[in-house]
Amino acid sequence: NRTLLIPGPQHYLARLQRDSSVEEEIFCLDRLISKNEMQRALLDDGSAIGLSTIPWQYNGLELSEDERWVLSSKHTHFWPYHVEGGNALQFHDMVVLYPDVFSDYGFSRETEATEEILSGAESSRWANVLPNSDEIMSALLLAKAMGGLVTPHLHSGVSLILCLLKPGMDEITYEESVTSSDVFQDPERGQRLLHHLEHTFTRKKTIKFISADLVHSIPTI
């Protein structure tokens, strides 16, 4: 029955029990819900009952690879799992995005950052975002909704760095194109970022610098 493959609004809600399986968390209601119920569910962040803040993408990764496409839609540009021609496919690696809004770069090892996320506690780094970071911060919720994993640590698994680039430079590959800080709106901050990357990671790893404008434009592409 093909209609079973078309999710309703209720299928995007997470079950509130801690001991639910991932299937129960994703497909938790078998009836249509009203607009008021949907609004109430979306506004409830679960903090009143002590729920964790583990991103939905990690729950999605607990599904088998041929089931992960159920979390995709035309808007989940960063979620790598989709279905095409009846086949479940992975189109690219998981997108991990770091916003350049902190005074330092946090954990450099992906395992440390992942452990922090899976603990269910929000990183204390989010309380120390630098002033005048609104442009970058404005794109983070959209990036998460599109399936990207947002991290406050510039670790070895990061694939995109969201930063302030000069106008007309919305996407630049660090591996190939960035040789000076001239591409950044703040060259001094850009040079500091490049210095950190140069001394922490190998250029064999492809990292892209992207602008907030690029993230905002993706749903209309």
Side-chain angles (χ1 to χ4, degrees):
N1 187 343
R2 290 181 175 272
T3 60
L4 296 177
L5 299 179
I6 303 174
Q10 71 275 11
H11 293 140
Y12 292 95
L13 302 179
R15 182 175 289 241
L16 293 182
Q17 281 79 1
R18 288 180 179 274
D19 57 351
S20 300
S21 69
V22 64
E23 291 82 2
E24 289 175 320
E25 288 179 349
I26 295 172
F27 302 108
C28 58
L29 292 174
D30 58 2
R31 64 174 179 83
L32 291 173
I33 61 176
S34 68
K35 290 183 179 179
N36 287 338
E37 287 178 301
M38 186 67 175
Q39 183 179 30
R40 188 163 61 249
L42 292 175
L43 291 176
D44 183 2
D45 63 3
S47 58
I49 56 175
L51 290 182
S52 69
T53 58
I54 298 175
W56 63 264
Q57 294 91 332
Y58 280 94
N59 287 331
L61 292 175
E62 291 184 27
L63 296 170
S64 64
E65 287 194 12
D66 60 354
E67 293 177 323
R68 294 173 187 173
W69 68 269
V70 299
L71 297 178
S72 68
S73 75
K74 63 181 180 181
H75 302 296
T76 51
H77 179 84
F78 291 146
W79 182 244
Y81 303 96
H82 297 267
V83 65
E84 187 175 279
N87 297 313
L89 303 172
Q90 180 176 355
F91 287 95
H92 52 76
D93 293 333
M94 182 64 70
V95 171
V96 183
L97 185 149
Y98 168 79
D100 185 29
V101 295
F102 305 100
S103 59
D104 58 65
Y105 300 105
F107 300 139
S108 61
R109 293 195 302 173
E110 184 176 13
T111 52
E112 292 179 291
T114 301
E115 286 172 2
E116 180 183 68
I117 289 175
L118 294 180
S119 74
E122 184 175 60
S123 173
S124 60
R125 287 174 60 77
W126 291 116
N128 298 302
V129 171
L130 293 172
N132 304 316
S133 298
D134 292 352
E135 182 177 340
I136 294 175
M137 295 297 290
S138 71
L140 296 188
L141 283 178
L142 182 56
K144 291 178 183 179
M146 290 193 293
L149 286 171
V150 174
T151 174
H153 303 281
L154 184 47
H155 60 70
S156 54
V158 167
S159 52
L160 298 178
I161 297 177
L162 183 60
C163 53
L164 296 178
L165 300 173
K166 286 188 174 179
M169 297 181 177
D170 288 331
E171 182 178 357
I172 302 173
T173 302
Y174 163 67
E175 182 183 25
E176 301 169 350
S177 308
V178 181
T179 56
S180 76
S181 60
D182 292 343
V183 299
F184 301 97
Q185 290 185 28
D186 183 340
E188 183 177 345
R189 182 168 181 78
Q191 186 58 51
R192 183 166 169 266
L193 176 60
L194 291 176
H195 182 270
H196 178 78
L197 291 173
E198 187 72 31
H199 289 81
T200 308
F201 306 114
T202 171
R203 277 187 181 255
K204 292 181 180 180
K205 174 178 173 54
T206 300
I207 299 175
K208 290 185 177 181
F209 300 103
I210 64 170
S211 69
D213 285 342
L214 179 67
V215 176
H216 288 301
S217 71
I218 286 174
T220 62
I221 291 177

